Every structure is written in structure tokens, then in C-alpha cells.
Amino acid sequence: MATTPVRDRSTIMVLNGPNLNLLGRRQPEIYGTDTLADIEKLVAETAAPHGLTTDCRQSNHEGQLIDWIHEARERHAAVIINPAGYSHTSVALRDALATCDGLPIVEVHISNIHQRETFRHHSYVSALASGVIAGCGVQGYAFAVERVAALLAAARA
């Protein structure tokens, strides 16, 4: 007999899309010198005072990200996602996020995608997000955690 997964109301799924494993080495003039490990530490430290934890994952594969979104909708309190290049191309990623009924979703981009190439100006994720943070560097991830914490607190009130 299948069991219903229990949602952890204190853990935020933090998803990073393609090429973000190369942060700190790839185009530092655009993305800075902080690494993905630095971001993971930042989000954990930002979440802790709110009684929250983070579950950080990165994949270069669209299907893997979709599987993790499906997991998050059942087991996590919220999703912070930097879909990277999939922002502009993936209807499938958008559709997976659309299944996260009522779950706070915050989209993060390290660079300001609206100041970059025209094809980057549209994100399929943005319309589903509770908030979108772009152009704040890695600090945008901390802003995203703070926003998720506020949304979760408001939902509990």
C-alpha cells in the first residue's frame, strides 16, 4: 500500500539549473566569483534564524529538475529556483512548477536578465513565482529565503 508523503514545513528546496555548477569559474564578469557552495552556505545561514533548513540541489538536466520539483511539491515548504537557461526555454519546467499548488516559489537570477540578450528577457517561470529576484548577485538568494520565510509566516498566521 502506498503511503502519502509528509510535507516538511520547515525545509526549502533550493534548485539550481544548468551551468550553475561552474559558478566562480564561468563568466565571473557576469556571475561573480562566488561558488555554488558559497550560495548553499548563504541560504542555510539565512534560513536558520527563521527556523528553516535548506535542501540545495543542482542539475544540468531538465528532467532531473522536474523530478525534484515533483518531490518538493509533496515534501517541502517552498521552492527557490534559479532555472538558468531553462528559464527562457522550458515549458516542461514551468508545467512542473504549476503543480506546486500553493507552495511559495521564488525565482532567482544572479544577473539582471532584462539587461542582457533579448531572448533572456522572458522567463516561463516568472508567471508562477511568488517573487522574482534578478540582478542582485548571489545576495538575491538570501533575499529569496527572506521572502519565503515571510510568505510561510503569513500562511501560518
Side-chain angles (χ1 to χ4, degrees):
M1 182 165 101
T3 60
T4 303
V6 176
R7 181 173 285 167
D8 178 349
R9 304 250 182 231
S10 65
T11 301
I12 303 167
M13 174 83 74
V14 181
L15 296 176
N16 284 285
N19 300 310
L20 293 172
N21 57 308
L22 298 176
L23 284 173
R25 297 176 283 156
R26 175 182 168 247
Q27 296 178 287
E29 68 282 1
I30 295 174
Y31 301 108
T33 57
D34 289 303
T35 66
L36 192 56
D38 295 330
I39 290 169
E40 291 173 357
K41 181 180 178 204
L42 173 66
V43 296
E45 289 173 351
T46 306
H50 299 285
L52 299 170
T53 59
T54 56
D55 179 359
C56 300
R57 304 178 190 190
Q58 185 278 329
S59 181
N60 295 318
H61 304 281
E62 183 180 34
Q64 180 63 74
L65 292 165
I66 290 167
D67 288 344
W68 287 337
I69 291 166
H70 292 173
E71 179 183 339
R73 74 182 286 272
E74 298 289 335
R75 299 182 184 271
H76 290 72
V79 174
I80 294 172
I81 184 167
N82 182 340
Y86 290 138
S87 308
H88 326 292
T89 63
S90 182
V91 173
L93 199 63
R94 179 244 176 256
D95 288 349
L97 289 164
T99 71
C100 294
D101 308 318
L103 207 65
I105 299 167
V106 178
E107 179 181 10
V108 176
H109 297 281
I110 295 169
S111 68
N112 184 346
I113 61 174
H114 305 289
Q115 289 181 333
R116 298 187 61 196
E117 303 92 339
T118 305
F119 72 87
R120 294 185 196 275
H121 296 179
H122 178 264
S123 167
Y124 285 102
V125 172
S126 295
L128 299 172
S130 307
V132 178
I133 300 165
C136 297
V138 298
Q139 187 181 18
Y141 285 87
F143 295 155
V145 171
E146 293 290 346
R147 182 62 183 146
V148 163
L151 291 169
L152 293 172
R156 285 190 298 269

PDB file of all heavy atoms in Angstrom, residues 30-31 88 108-117 120-121 132-137:
ATOM      1  N   ILE A  30      30.055  38.385 -15.240  1.00  0.00           N
ATOM      2  CA  ILE A  30      28.581  38.384 -15.201  1.00  0.00           C
ATOM      3  C   ILE A  30      28.079  37.809 -13.883  1.00  0.00           C
ATOM      4  O   ILE A  30      27.186  38.374 -13.245  1.00  0.00           O
ATOM      5  CB  ILE A  30      27.994  37.572 -16.376  1.00  0.00           C
ATOM      6  CG1 ILE A  30      28.329  38.241 -17.703  1.00  0.00           C
ATOM      7  CG2 ILE A  30      26.477  37.397 -16.225  1.00  0.00           C
ATOM      8  CD1 ILE A  30      27.923  37.440 -18.929  1.00  0.00           C
ATOM      9  N   TYR A  31      28.644  36.684 -13.457  1.00  0.00           N
ATOM     10  CA  TYR A  31      28.108  35.938 -12.327  1.00  0.00           C
ATOM     11  C   TYR A  31      28.904  36.087 -11.032  1.00  0.00           C
ATOM     12  O   TYR A  31      28.491  35.556  -9.999  1.00  0.00           O
ATOM     13  CB  TYR A  31      28.005  34.448 -12.690  1.00  0.00           C
ATOM     14  CG  TYR A  31      27.128  34.214 -13.890  1.00  0.00           C
ATOM     15  CD1 TYR A  31      27.668  33.849 -15.122  1.00  0.00           C
ATOM     16  CD2 TYR A  31      25.754  34.397 -13.808  1.00  0.00           C
ATOM     17  CE1 TYR A  31      26.861  33.655 -16.234  1.00  0.00           C
ATOM     18  CE2 TYR A  31      24.938  34.210 -14.918  1.00  0.00           C
ATOM     19  CZ  TYR A  31      25.508  33.842 -16.124  1.00  0.00           C
ATOM     20  OH  TYR A  31      24.698  33.657 -17.216  1.00  0.00           O
ATOM     21  N   HIS A  88      14.126  30.435 -20.065  1.00  0.00           N
ATOM     22  CA  HIS A  88      13.705  31.003 -21.338  1.00  0.00           C
ATOM     23  C   HIS A  88      13.238  29.960 -22.342  1.00  0.00           C
ATOM     24  O   HIS A  88      12.752  30.314 -23.411  1.00  0.00           O
ATOM     25  CB  HIS A  88      14.870  31.800 -21.944  1.00  0.00           C
ATOM     26  CG  HIS A  88      15.708  32.470 -20.907  1.00  0.00           C
ATOM     27  ND1 HIS A  88      15.234  33.515 -20.139  1.00  0.00           N
ATOM     28  CD2 HIS A  88      16.967  32.224 -20.477  1.00  0.00           C
ATOM     29  CE1 HIS A  88      16.193  33.889 -19.290  1.00  0.00           C
ATOM     30  NE2 HIS A  88      17.237  33.119 -19.476  1.00  0.00           N
ATOM     31  N   VAL A 108      15.084  33.129  -8.879  1.00  0.00           N
ATOM     32  CA  VAL A 108      16.285  33.932  -8.661  1.00  0.00           C
ATOM     33  C   VAL A 108      17.163  33.885  -9.901  1.00  0.00           C
ATOM     34  O   VAL A 108      17.338  32.823 -10.515  1.00  0.00           O
ATOM     35  CB  VAL A 108      17.102  33.401  -7.457  1.00  0.00           C
ATOM     36  CG1 VAL A 108      18.404  34.176  -7.288  1.00  0.00           C
ATOM     37  CG2 VAL A 108      16.300  33.444  -6.180  1.00  0.00           C
ATOM     38  N   HIS A 109      17.703  35.038 -10.255  1.00  0.00           N
ATOM     39  CA  HIS A 109      18.733  35.135 -11.289  1.00  0.00           C
ATOM     40  C   HIS A 109      19.857  36.009 -10.748  1.00  0.00           C
ATOM     41  O   HIS A 109      19.592  37.093 -10.221  1.00  0.00           O
ATOM     42  CB  HIS A 109      18.176  35.748 -12.577  1.00  0.00           C
ATOM     43  CG  HIS A 109      17.116  34.908 -13.198  1.00  0.00           C
ATOM     44  ND1 HIS A 109      17.412  33.798 -13.955  1.00  0.00           N
ATOM     45  CD2 HIS A 109      15.770  34.982 -13.136  1.00  0.00           C
ATOM     46  CE1 HIS A 109      16.279  33.237 -14.343  1.00  0.00           C
ATOM     47  NE2 HIS A 109      15.269  33.929 -13.853  1.00  0.00           N
ATOM     48  N   ILE A 110      21.070  35.536 -10.857  1.00  0.00           N
ATOM     49  CA  ILE A 110      22.220  36.278 -10.356  1.00  0.00           C
ATOM     50  C   ILE A 110      22.412  37.567 -11.149  1.00  0.00           C
ATOM     51  O   ILE A 110      22.622  38.637 -10.575  1.00  0.00           O
ATOM     52  CB  ILE A 110      23.489  35.393 -10.405  1.00  0.00           C
ATOM     53  CG1 ILE A 110      23.313  34.217  -9.432  1.00  0.00           C
ATOM     54  CG2 ILE A 110      24.736  36.209 -10.078  1.00  0.00           C
ATOM     55  CD1 ILE A 110      24.359  33.126  -9.576  1.00  0.00           C
ATOM     56  N   SER A 111      22.313  37.471 -12.457  1.00  0.00           N
ATOM     57  CA  SER A 111      22.445  38.659 -13.310  1.00  0.00           C
ATOM     58  C   SER A 111      21.064  39.246 -13.572  1.00  0.00           C
ATOM     59  O   SER A 111      20.040  38.609 -13.335  1.00  0.00           O
ATOM     60  CB  SER A 111      23.112  38.287 -14.636  1.00  0.00           C
ATOM     61  OG  SER A 111      22.249  37.465 -15.407  1.00  0.00           O
ATOM     62  N   ASN A 112      21.040  40.470 -14.040  1.00  0.00           N
ATOM     63  CA  ASN A 112      19.776  41.093 -14.426  1.00  0.00           C
ATOM     64  C   ASN A 112      19.461  40.640 -15.846  1.00  0.00           C
ATOM     65  O   ASN A 112      20.007  41.183 -16.811  1.00  0.00           O
ATOM     66  CB  ASN A 112      19.859  42.614 -14.340  1.00  0.00           C
ATOM     67  CG  ASN A 112      18.530  43.262 -14.640  1.00  0.00           C
ATOM     68  OD1 ASN A 112      17.609  42.622 -15.160  1.00  0.00           O
ATOM     69  ND2 ASN A 112      18.426  44.540 -14.318  1.00  0.00           N
ATOM     70  N   ILE A 113      18.585  39.651 -15.959  1.00  0.00           N
ATOM     71  CA  ILE A 113      18.279  39.075 -17.270  1.00  0.00           C
ATOM     72  C   ILE A 113      17.655  40.100 -18.214  1.00  0.00           C
ATOM     73  O   ILE A 113      17.695  39.929 -19.426  1.00  0.00           O
ATOM     74  CB  ILE A 113      17.381  37.823 -17.142  1.00  0.00           C
ATOM     75  CG1 ILE A 113      16.041  38.148 -16.490  1.00  0.00           C
ATOM     76  CG2 ILE A 113      18.116  36.720 -16.399  1.00  0.00           C
ATOM     77  CD1 ILE A 113      15.051  36.995 -16.462  1.00  0.00           C
ATOM     78  N   HIS A 114      17.112  41.175 -17.672  1.00  0.00           N
ATOM     79  CA  HIS A 114      16.465  42.196 -18.504  1.00  0.00           C
ATOM     80  C   HIS A 114      17.465  43.173 -19.118  1.00  0.00           C
ATOM     81  O   HIS A 114      17.104  43.961 -19.992  1.00  0.00           O
ATOM     82  CB  HIS A 114      15.402  42.928 -17.696  1.00  0.00           C
ATOM     83  CG  HIS A 114      14.410  41.981 -17.114  1.00  0.00           C
ATOM     84  ND1 HIS A 114      13.476  41.321 -17.879  1.00  0.00           N
ATOM     85  CD2 HIS A 114      14.243  41.532 -15.845  1.00  0.00           C
ATOM     86  CE1 HIS A 114      12.768  40.518 -17.098  1.00  0.00           C
ATOM     87  NE2 HIS A 114      13.216  40.616 -15.873  1.00  0.00           N
ATOM     88  N   GLN A 115      18.703  43.116 -18.675  1.00  0.00           N
ATOM     89  CA  GLN A 115      19.769  43.928 -19.259  1.00  0.00           C
ATOM     90  C   GLN A 115      20.636  43.117 -20.215  1.00  0.00           C
ATOM     91  O   GLN A 115      21.588  43.645 -20.755  1.00  0.00           O
ATOM     92  CB  GLN A 115      20.672  44.505 -18.159  1.00  0.00           C
ATOM     93  CG  GLN A 115      20.036  45.585 -17.339  1.00  0.00           C
ATOM     94  CD  GLN A 115      20.991  46.132 -16.300  1.00  0.00           C
ATOM     95  OE1 GLN A 115      21.902  45.452 -15.837  1.00  0.00           O
ATOM     96  NE2 GLN A 115      20.778  47.377 -15.923  1.00  0.00           N
ATOM     97  N   ARG A 116      20.284  41.889 -20.405  1.00  0.00           N
ATOM     98  CA  ARG A 116      21.093  41.003 -21.230  1.00  0.00           C
ATOM     99  C   ARG A 116      20.439  40.791 -22.588  1.00  0.00           C
ATOM    100  O   ARG A 116      19.577  41.556 -22.999  1.00  0.00           O
ATOM    101  CB  ARG A 116      21.331  39.697 -20.469  1.00  0.00           C
ATOM    102  CG  ARG A 116      22.110  39.981 -19.170  1.00  0.00           C
ATOM    103  CD  ARG A 116      22.539  38.767 -18.448  1.00  0.00           C
ATOM    104  NE  ARG A 116      23.434  37.959 -19.270  1.00  0.00           N
ATOM    105  CZ  ARG A 116      23.728  36.701 -19.009  1.00  0.00           C
ATOM    106  NH1 ARG A 116      23.204  36.100 -17.955  1.00  0.00           N
ATOM    107  NH2 ARG A 116      24.532  36.019 -19.783  1.00  0.00           N
ATOM    108  N   GLU A 117      20.821  39.753 -23.291  1.00  0.00           N
ATOM    109  CA  GLU A 117      20.294  39.482 -24.622  1.00  0.00           C
ATOM    110  C   GLU A 117      18.768  39.404 -24.574  1.00  0.00           C
ATOM    111  O   GLU A 117      18.188  38.947 -23.600  1.00  0.00           O
ATOM    112  CB  GLU A 117      20.842  38.159 -25.161  1.00  0.00           C
ATOM    113  CG  GLU A 117      22.344  38.072 -25.222  1.00  0.00           C
ATOM    114  CD  GLU A 117      22.982  37.484 -23.967  1.00  0.00           C
ATOM    115  OE1 GLU A 117      22.367  37.489 -22.881  1.00  0.00           O
ATOM    116  OE2 GLU A 117      24.136  37.030 -24.072  1.00  0.00           O
ATOM    117  N   ARG A 120      16.728  36.472 -23.296  1.00  0.00           N
ATOM    118  CA  ARG A 120      16.717  36.215 -21.852  1.00  0.00           C
ATOM    119  C   ARG A 120      15.649  37.030 -21.118  1.00  0.00           C
ATOM    120  O   ARG A 120      15.434  36.848 -19.927  1.00  0.00           O
ATOM    121  CB  ARG A 120      18.080  36.536 -21.240  1.00  0.00           C
ATOM    122  CG  ARG A 120      19.187  35.624 -21.713  1.00  0.00           C
ATOM    123  CD  ARG A 120      20.482  35.930 -20.961  1.00  0.00           C
ATOM    124  NE  ARG A 120      21.623  35.355 -21.618  1.00  0.00           N
ATOM    125  CZ  ARG A 120      22.034  34.098 -21.450  1.00  0.00           C
ATOM    126  NH1 ARG A 120      21.377  33.284 -20.650  1.00  0.00           N
ATOM    127  NH2 ARG A 120      23.088  33.657 -22.092  1.00  0.00           N
ATOM    128  N   HIS A 121      14.982  37.931 -21.789  1.00  0.00           N
ATOM    129  CA  HIS A 121      14.030  38.823 -21.118  1.00  0.00           C
ATOM    130  C   HIS A 121      12.750  38.115 -20.693  1.00  0.00           C
ATOM    131  O   HIS A 121      12.031  38.617 -19.829  1.00  0.00           O
ATOM    132  CB  HIS A 121      13.686  40.018 -22.008  1.00  0.00           C
ATOM    133  CG  HIS A 121      14.861  40.899 -22.282  1.00  0.00           C
ATOM    134  ND1 HIS A 121      14.775  42.019 -23.065  1.00  0.00           N
ATOM    135  CD2 HIS A 121      16.163  40.841 -21.898  1.00  0.00           C
ATOM    136  CE1 HIS A 121      15.955  42.601 -23.150  1.00  0.00           C
ATOM    137  NE2 HIS A 121      16.817  41.890 -22.450  1.00  0.00           N
ATOM    138  N   VAL A 132      10.162  37.324  -7.931  1.00  0.00           N
ATOM    139  CA  VAL A 132      11.266  37.172  -8.877  1.00  0.00           C
ATOM    140  C   VAL A 132      12.363  38.144  -8.459  1.00  0.00           C
ATOM    141  O   VAL A 132      12.109  39.342  -8.282  1.00  0.00           O
ATOM    142  CB  VAL A 132      10.829  37.472 -10.327  1.00  0.00           C
ATOM    143  CG1 VAL A 132      12.005  37.347 -11.288  1.00  0.00           C
ATOM    144  CG2 VAL A 132       9.684  36.557 -10.743  1.00  0.00           C
ATOM    145  N   ILE A 133      13.581  37.629  -8.314  1.00  0.00           N
ATOM    146  CA  ILE A 133      14.721  38.446  -7.909  1.00  0.00           C
ATOM    147  C   ILE A 133      15.792  38.294  -8.974  1.00  0.00           C
ATOM    148  O   ILE A 133      16.230  37.180  -9.254  1.00  0.00           O
ATOM    149  CB  ILE A 133      15.249  38.008  -6.532  1.00  0.00           C
ATOM    150  CG1 ILE A 133      14.126  38.150  -5.488  1.00  0.00           C
ATOM    151  CG2 ILE A 133      16.486  38.813  -6.148  1.00  0.00           C
ATOM    152  CD1 ILE A 133      14.387  37.434  -4.191  1.00  0.00           C
ATOM    153  N   ALA A 134      16.181  39.407  -9.566  1.00  0.00           N
ATOM    154  CA  ALA A 134      17.184  39.361 -10.639  1.00  0.00           C
ATOM    155  C   ALA A 134      18.152  40.528 -10.482  1.00  0.00           C
ATOM    156  O   ALA A 134      17.754  41.635 -10.121  1.00  0.00           O
ATOM    157  CB  ALA A 134      16.510  39.437 -12.004  1.00  0.00           C
ATOM    158  N   GLY A 135      19.413  40.242 -10.761  1.00  0.00           N
ATOM    159  CA  GLY A 135      20.412  41.297 -10.814  1.00  0.00           C
ATOM    160  C   GLY A 135      21.011  41.681  -9.480  1.00  0.00           C
ATOM    161  O   GLY A 135      21.720  42.674  -9.385  1.00  0.00           O
ATOM    162  N   CYS A 136      20.789  40.897  -8.448  1.00  0.00           N
ATOM    163  CA  CYS A 136      21.312  41.212  -7.115  1.00  0.00           C
ATOM    164  C   CYS A 136      22.519  40.352  -6.754  1.00  0.00           C
ATOM    165  O   CYS A 136      22.908  40.285  -5.589  1.00  0.00           O
ATOM    166  CB  CYS A 136      20.217  41.040  -6.074  1.00  0.00           C
ATOM    167  SG  CYS A 136      18.834  42.156  -6.285  1.00  0.00           S
ATOM    168  N   GLY A 137      23.086  39.675  -7.753  1.00  0.00           N
ATOM    169  CA  GLY A 137      24.184  38.771  -7.469  1.00  0.00           C
ATOM    170  C   GLY A 137      23.716  37.625  -6.598  1.00  0.00           C
ATOM    171  O   GLY A 137      22.524  37.333  -6.527  1.00  0.00           O
TER     172      GLY A 137
END
